[in-house]
Amino acid sequence: MRHDESMRPGLLDDDATGRLRAALGGYTVDAVADRLGLAGEAALQRADLAGVARQVRGDDPLATLLRLFVLGAAVDERAAAAALAPLRLDEAVAAGLVEQAGSQVRAGLDVRPYAETGGAGGPWWVVSDLGADVRGGPLAADHVLGIGAASLTLAQATPRQPVGRALDVGTGCGIQALHLARHAETVVATDISERALRLAATTAALSGQQWDLRSGSLLEPVAGERFDLVVANPPFVVSGGTVGHEYRDGGRAGDGISEALVRTLPTVLAEGGTAQLLANWVITADQPWDERVGGWLTDGGCDAWAWQREVADPGEYVTLWLRDAGERAGTARWNERYDAWLDWFTASGVLAVGMGLITMWRTDAADPTVVCEDVPQALEQPIGPYVADWAARQRWLRAREDRALLDAVLRPADDLVLDRSAVLAEHGWSDVTAQLRQARGLRWAVDVDDPIASLVAGCDGRAPVRVAVGLLAAVLAVEAEAVADAVLPVVRDLVARGFLLPGGAS
């Protein structure tokens, strides 16, 4: 690909972009939160535009920008001109940012302030198409999504160690690329949609960043190149392969897009590189999801973790995506699409669709570690740092057989809580279950008995595990070898999940 093919212009030239950035200087995440207050923020989270409107009365620039770009409301041309200055109103109209009809001005695009969790990064502004809740009616085929739950999930799950080259596959309006530019020397972002690439170029320019933007499907624009970190929010929606919306429909039947991306990602990962992607997969009566997704991951030379966050039955899944595209339930158009989609699920033997994330680390191991598991619990966000720790523990465990764990020095994670439940019996309260859980991070919870709870407490970060095993054997009056045989597989699982950590006491 020629270099000039990757340099796509934004909606405005450099001078006009600078003036728009100046106009948006008071339109930041913190300023919006302060203006909306708790009630307005809660209303915004539940898409209650009337509740937001109550908090943005007035003609000051911030209120006008909120009414324009968040509420999609019409504002007087004088108020719009004042809010967008020093960018001229006619320039904003020509760029498609706003639309004017007489003395009234409405947003033509969604322009939102954005920042990393905790307020780091920025000031950033994301340029996308207006959502169905604002614009109304079904979305256009080339609709470019803005800040949403899926993009936030991916951003929060991505490890953020400094890297050389990073790739954002299916960049859309550029949310993932904004994050990548904070810790990558070079950011390449791709999309099949030319409209998305132009809006992404505007997001980058407004936010003071430069990315190498390329057009093409999945990994085609970067064939033969290598990256230290790849993130992907591809058009993973499971369907019969119809193409209705570029942001969600990849044109392959079933979970073909997710499978194709997973199988080819190792070809663009540098040695030790990481890939983090969102994916959906089908669940059938003949094949459990972990077997299906695990089959995509076994031959790529990558350790991998597929974590299923949700499962939706066909009706629930179709309803979700029809609503997402702005369709209205009960209309003839809705009913036609709903029936055709469900008929395909039935004919294809799909019982449900799994939704989650897949993380891959290129290790070039002959027998890579592949874990597919349900992760339904609430997670601490951002979870990315804990994802990186998960990979490090898997590598540590792979280098050690169970018996070698006896010589390891382990310590409990700092956030462990032991919960006990009891029932009232004839002679008082009697413990029936004990659960060890993490108060932070991945927030796993596992049932344990008293010996395992004691063993975890005995791994104090100073002595090897065999010492704790010996003490437990003495208490139980059982041979240490028998105790070791029983507990070492449990110890391995506790390390894998982060209850016990390699290394000395912190």
Side-chain angles (χ1 to χ4, degrees):
M1 173 175 291
R2 300 192 314 270
H3 178 68
D4 61 347
E5 289 180 318
S6 69
M7 303 303 290
R8 282 170 171 74
L11 299 173
L12 298 159
D13 62 27
D14 290 345
D15 176 67
T17 297
R19 286 183 281 121
L20 177 58
R21 188 186 304 118
L24 300 177
Y27 182 47
T28 64
V29 170
D30 289 342
V32 169
D34 288 344
R35 183 57 176 264
L36 295 183
L38 293 178
E41 283 278 285
L44 185 60
Q45 290 296 318
R46 63 177 182 266
D48 174 10
L49 300 186
V52 176
R54 292 177 60 84
Q55 309 300 316
V56 294
R57 295 165 178 166
D59 290 328
D60 59 283
L62 179 57
T64 299
L65 292 172
L66 283 165
R67 289 205 302 278
L68 271 175
F69 297 120
V70 174
L71 298 178
V75 302
D76 181 78
E77 64 178 336
R78 289 171 296 182
L84 292 169
L87 183 72
R88 299 193 314 272
L89 182 57
D90 65 296
E91 292 177 301
V93 171
L97 291 171
V98 296
E99 301 167 349
Q100 186 169 9
S103 63
Q104 297 293 296
V105 176
R106 288 184 179 272
L109 293 169
D110 189 320
V111 181
R112 297 283 178 112
Y114 181 60
E116 289 183 326
T117 300
W124 295 338
W125 293 274
V126 173
V127 182
S128 65
D129 282 320
L130 293 163
D133 56 336
V134 173
R135 177 64 80 182
L139 302 181
D142 62 352
H143 180 85
V144 179
L145 288 179
I147 303 165
S151 58
L152 294 176
T153 295
L154 181 57
Q156 291 167 336
T158 301
R160 297 297 174 191
Q161 294 93 336
V163 295
R165 302 190 76 218
L167 171 64
D168 177 12
V169 179
T171 190
C173 63
I175 293 171
Q176 306 308 320
L178 285 172
H179 290 278
L180 292 175
R182 290 261 295 157
H183 61 104
E185 295 174 9
T186 301
V187 175
V188 177
T190 71
D191 206 289
I192 200 170
S193 166
E194 288 291 341
R195 177 174 174 77
L197 291 171
R198 194 168 188 205
L199 296 188
T202 308
T203 292
L206 270 181
S207 303
Q209 296 185 8
Q210 291 185 331
W211 314 326
D212 181 352
L213 293 164
R214 306 185 191 178
S215 176
S217 177
L218 299 181
L219 302 179
E220 291 174 0
V222 295
E225 300 182 49
R226 295 291 183 271
F227 297 89
D228 304 297
L229 175 61
V230 178
V231 299
N233 183 7
F236 51 67
V237 173
V238 173
S239 72
T242 56
V243 178
H245 295 86
E246 290 177 331
Y247 76 88
R248 75 174 196 196
D249 302 317
R252 300 196 187 193
D255 47 21
I257 284 288
S258 294
E259 178 179 3
L261 185 56
V262 167
R263 289 189 182 278
T264 55
L265 269 171
T267 67
V268 300
L269 282 179
E271 183 178 353
T274 301
Q276 181 72 70
L277 65 144
L278 299 177
N280 284 186
W281 41 79
V282 302
I283 299 172
T284 69
D286 299 328
Q287 186 179 41
W289 81 268
D290 53 342
E291 179 182 302
R292 182 180 189 84
V293 176
W296 304 346
L297 294 160
T298 53
D299 300 323
C302 292
D303 288 353
W305 182 26
W307 29 322
Q308 182 167 265
R309 297 287 285 150
E310 298 178 67
V311 175
D313 66 57
E316 180 184 9
Y317 189 79
V318 170
T319 298
L320 166 69
W321 288 108
L322 287 177
R323 285 179 175 161
D324 183 79
E327 302 290 350
R328 188 161 58 88
T331 63
R333 178 183 168 104
W334 171 289
N335 292 339
E336 178 185 353
R337 285 158 174 74
Y338 182 89
D339 286 340
W341 208 334
L342 282 184
D343 286 346
W344 177 84
F345 274 115
T346 300
S348 302
V350 177
L351 300 181
V353 178
M355 299 176 278
L357 300 96
I358 299 176
T359 316
M360 303 167 66
W361 298 267
R362 182 177 168 188
T363 60
D364 293 323
D367 185 21
T369 298
V370 175
V371 176
C372 300
E373 61 187 343
D374 289 283
V375 186
Q377 68 269 20
L379 308 175
E380 180 183 359
Q381 299 295 353
I383 199 64
Y386 297 97
V387 173
D389 291 344
W390 184 96
R393 292 195 303 273
Q394 308 315 306
R395 289 192 291 269
W396 187 88
L397 286 168
R398 186 168 57 213
R400 292 164 176 81
E401 299 291 339
D402 280 359
R403 281 287 162 177
L405 295 177
L406 288 171
D407 297 318
V409 176
L410 302 176
R411 60 181 177 85
D414 295 333
D415 57 347
L416 298 189
V417 177
L418 181 64
D419 292 326
R420 296 184 183 276
S421 62
V423 296
L424 186 59
E426 180 180 357
H427 300 293
W429 292 102
S430 175
D431 287 347
V432 291
T433 63
Q435 189 177 73
L436 190 64
R437 62 178 176 86
Q438 300 164 347
R440 300 188 58 196
L442 289 164
R443 292 175 175 157
W444 286 113
V446 295
D447 292 333
V448 296
D449 55 19
D450 286 339
I452 293 298
S454 298
L455 180 69
V456 170
C459 292
D460 59 5
R462 291 186 291 270
V465 172
R466 68 171 60 255
V467 173
V469 168
L471 292 173
L472 181 59
V475 170
L476 297 175
V478 178
E479 291 292 331
E481 285 294 309
V483 172
D485 289 340
V487 303
L488 286 177
V490 179
V491 170
R492 180 172 291 274
D493 184 65
L494 291 173
V495 173
R497 296 184 184 277
F499 290 91
L500 290 173
L501 305 178
S506 57

